[in-house]
């Protein structure tokens, strides 16, 4: 998960709010003026002004020119912290979703490339290879609709292996024995030279 870049003035505002909530700054006390805070946090007065403006916007504090910064509400300080944590959490989730989508798209692309390489390999060497890779659509007349590969004893009856299947625009490689035959799927099967006849006869006898 990528860390969100939080502006320095927001970090300062959060730090002040945290000190208010923890009681390190009492509500009946005043915070030092902007110049003093600028020296304390080692930033410019403008950065402090922006931090205090954030807190004033949620009525956590009130800046009184010439007399320091007044604490208004611990509850509002808690709300300020919670609000910014929620935004950070949502931002992090958004980044994670984008990263997952990009990773999935990359995996789909690589899987398709690998399947194409297998097709190409078998096509070029089919004269010496005892195996064929074929695609067979699952129609509504399939005897094993809604049943798994394991339940149908697919391999035992055909000698073939389902290495992948296509569902809509997705390609799933190595689905395993729990794959369920669903109408509209296209299964990718590898087997010996009579695999097409055997699988079709088995599925659509």
């Amino acid at each position: 998960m990528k860390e969100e870049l939080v502006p320095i003035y927001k970090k300062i505002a959060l730090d002040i709010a945290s000190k208010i909530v923890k009681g390190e700054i009492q509500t009946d006390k005043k915070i030092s003026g902007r110049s003093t805070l600028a020296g304390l946090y080692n930033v410019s007065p403008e950065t402090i002004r922006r931090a205090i403006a954030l807190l004033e916007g949620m009525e956590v504090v009130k800046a009184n020119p010439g007399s320091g910064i007044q604490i208004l509400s611990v509850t509002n300080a808690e709300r300020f912290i919670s609000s910014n944590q929620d935004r950070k959490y949502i931002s992090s989730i958004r980044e994670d979703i984008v990263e997952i989508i990009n990773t999935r798209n990359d995996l789909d692309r690589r899987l398709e490339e690998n399947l194409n390489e297998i097709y190409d390999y078998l096509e070029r060497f089919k004269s010496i290879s005892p195996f064929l890779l074929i695609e067979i659509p699952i129609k509504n007349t399939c005897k094993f609709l809604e049943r798994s590969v394991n339940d149908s004893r697919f391999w035992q009856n055909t000698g073939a292996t389902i290495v992948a299947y296509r569902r809509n625009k997705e390609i799933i490689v190595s689905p395993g024995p729990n794959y369920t035959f669903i109408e509209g799927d296209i299964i990718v099967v590898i087997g010996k030279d009579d695999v097409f006849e055997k699988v079709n006869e088995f599925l659509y006898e």
Side-chain angles (χ1 to χ4, degrees), residues 13-198:
L14 285 166
D15 185 64
I16 294 172
S18 295
K19 288 179 178 178
I20 294 172
V21 171
K22 292 176 183 177
E24 295 177 17
I25 303 176
Q26 301 294 328
T27 53
D28 58 347
K29 300 289 179 65
K30 289 185 178 180
I31 305 176
S32 303
R34 293 173 187 167
S35 298
T36 304
L37 287 175
L40 179 64
Y41 285 101
N42 195 27
V43 296
S44 69
E46 173 60 20
T47 300
I48 294 298
R49 185 194 69 77
R50 296 181 69 182
I52 296 303
L54 281 180
L55 295 172
E56 283 189 299
M58 290 195 68
E59 298 183 346
V60 178
V61 301
K62 179 176 177 56
N64 299 306
S67 61
I69 300 164
Q70 179 184 357
I71 310 301
L72 296 179
S73 171
V74 175
T75 300
N76 288 346
E78 291 175 341
R79 286 178 51 236
F80 177 79
I81 294 170
S82 176
S83 172
N84 281 278
Q85 285 178 337
D86 289 345
R87 289 184 189 132
K88 183 175 180 180
Y89 179 66
I90 292 170
S91 177
S92 297
I93 290 177
R94 183 174 63 248
E95 289 181 359
D96 281 352
I97 290 173
V98 171
E99 188 172 339
I100 289 168
I101 290 173
N102 289 337
T103 300
R104 180 174 177 178
N105 289 339
D106 183 56
L107 288 174
D108 286 345
R109 177 185 58 77
R110 288 163 56 191
L111 289 174
E112 189 163 7
E113 287 176 356
N114 288 336
L115 279 176
N116 289 335
E117 285 182 12
I118 293 173
Y119 279 123
D120 181 62
Y121 176 84
L122 291 176
E123 181 65 26
R124 286 187 289 118
F125 297 101
K126 63 183 179 182
S127 60
I128 60 174
S129 173
F131 297 102
L132 292 177
L133 192 68
I134 62 170
E135 291 187 349
I136 296 180
I138 303 301
K139 306 173 185 177
N140 59 4
T141 53
C142 176
K143 295 187 298 180
F144 301 100
L145 285 179
E146 308 297 334
R147 292 174 61 183
S148 69
V149 169
N150 190 51
D151 182 47
S152 68
R153 298 177 61 82
F154 183 85
W155 179 82
Q156 292 87 339
N157 285 284
T158 65
T161 301
I162 299 176
V163 296
Y165 69 91
R166 299 172 185 265
R167 180 172 294 167
N168 298 322
K169 294 183 179 180
E170 286 190 288
I171 300 175
I172 292 83
V173 174
S174 300
N178 292 323
Y179 164 71
T180 301
F181 295 100
I182 301 294
E183 181 183 354
D185 284 357
I186 297 177
I187 59 174
V188 182
V189 178
I190 191 168
K192 293 188 176 180
D193 54 7
D194 59 350
V195 62
F196 184 81
E197 290 79 9
K198 282 189 174 181

